Amino acid sequence: MPADTTALDIPLDPERQPDADAFVRAAMDWHFDPETGSPFWLRRAKTLDFDPRADVKSHDDLALFPNVAGELRTVPVADLVPRGLGSRPAVAGVFESGGTTGAPKRVWCDQDWLDRVTAWSNANLDAHGFPRGREWLGLTPSGPHFVGRLFEESARTHGTVGHRIDLDPRWVKKLIAAGKRDASDAYAEHLIDQAAEVLRTQDVGVLTITPPLLERLARREDLVDLVNRKVRAIRWGGTQLDAESRHLYRTEVFPDTVLYGHYGNTMILGIAGERAGLGDDDPCVFDTYSPYITFSVIDPATGRRVPYGERGRVVMNHVSRTLLLPNNLERDLATRLAAPEGRAGDAVADIAPVAEFEEETVIEGVY
């Protein structure tokens, strides 16, 4: 008899918080049953020194898994699709990492997951006072990066239409690595020039942008005036926005505009959202879409979680019907904080990249 995996089918209700341990057990049954699991995980299970269906009984047990993210550089993406989704699942896209370090890693995404993470993100925007029904402008990567697809869905479902300025973080990384800082600066200014045209001619109410590009926009007084006159909310995304700059934007540069951050990457097919209700002097705390997306902040030398309030490396987990990617050690440092009541994993604050990751220098560029 097939295992009961109905615990994975959480309604599209951001307030619904299922039991994380029961959710993880159902996911193990789904991803490691020969009838429903993906070819990748069914093969990989034979190399594990534990039985996921028998030994992974709680959210904390996800730490038993090896970090397989690096293997996704060469795994055929079709091998990541669970058999239980049928021969023709509703594919929303194939997405890649690789914006800052190393060759790209690939994951797939179906429409069910995209609908879920978009609904969760939209609820966060509501909690922060983002206006619904406005036009959006996004300076974001398009394919193969997940953030571009999420922008499209957010603009369509929370707003009306999304104006796009495409950016290529890999090209900027390549320029900086080659010592061509002038060329990378010229490219970034080219992006701001394009955004200026949209802001001048269109009724933009929401701006999605990366911290380095927001800094460049803020250098131009005419664009600051335009944003303050038209834009009611700014959603920034990327690795970091330092506390001093965040405070300056919120209190002086864009005082009447909501400023909201998100943090995530393609490998978790989603984001963590800035906690609502933070004051101007509070650190920017990010909460995850638990139990689908969860973080742990660890000491990489021991693998154990650091105490609350201490800094460590971020470990990310994605667990859903669509994808299983547990125990992925990321390139970021963060301060460990308690998650909201009822949510699994850790909240994080004060995000900053490590200097090197997987034997490569980390280059942020336009992120």
Side-chain angles (χ1 to χ4, degrees), residues 76-150:
V77 74
D79 284 1
L80 301 176
V81 180
R83 293 171 175 169
L85 297 179
S87 60
R88 295 187 63 84
V91 180
V94 174
F95 303 106
E96 296 182 2
S97 68
T100 53
T101 59
K105 307 161 190 171
R106 295 173 187 85
V107 291
W108 89 293
C109 177
D110 65 355
Q111 191 62 44
D112 176 73
W113 171 250
L114 186 59
D115 289 344
R116 290 176 183 277
V117 75
T118 302
W120 180 84
S121 176
N122 285 349
N124 274 353
L125 300 183
D126 290 339
H128 283 267
F130 270 55
R132 282 188 177 261
R134 298 297 300 272
E135 295 181 24
W136 284 41
L137 168 62
L139 287 80
T140 64
S142 58
H145 302 276
F146 181 73
V147 65
R149 189 71 173 89
L150 181 60

Side-chain angles (χ1 to χ4, degrees), residues 33-34 91 95 97 102 116 129 141-142 148 152 171 175 178 194 204 212 216 218 228 231 271 282 315 330 352 365:
D33 185 321
V91 180
F95 303 106
S97 68
R116 290 176 183 277
S142 58
E152 292 175 353
W171 179 239
L175 292 173
Q194 294 177 77
V204 174
R216 288 180 180 273
N228 281 319
V231 174
I271 56 175
D282 291 328
V315 172
E330 265 298 325

Side-chain angles (χ1 to χ4, degrees), residues 199 207 217 223-231 234 254 257:
L199 287 168
L207 173 65
L217 184 151
L223 295 187
V224 171
D225 290 342
L226 264 177
V227 169
N228 281 319
R229 190 164 67 248
K230 287 187 168 185
V231 174
I234 297 172
F254 307 113
T257 302

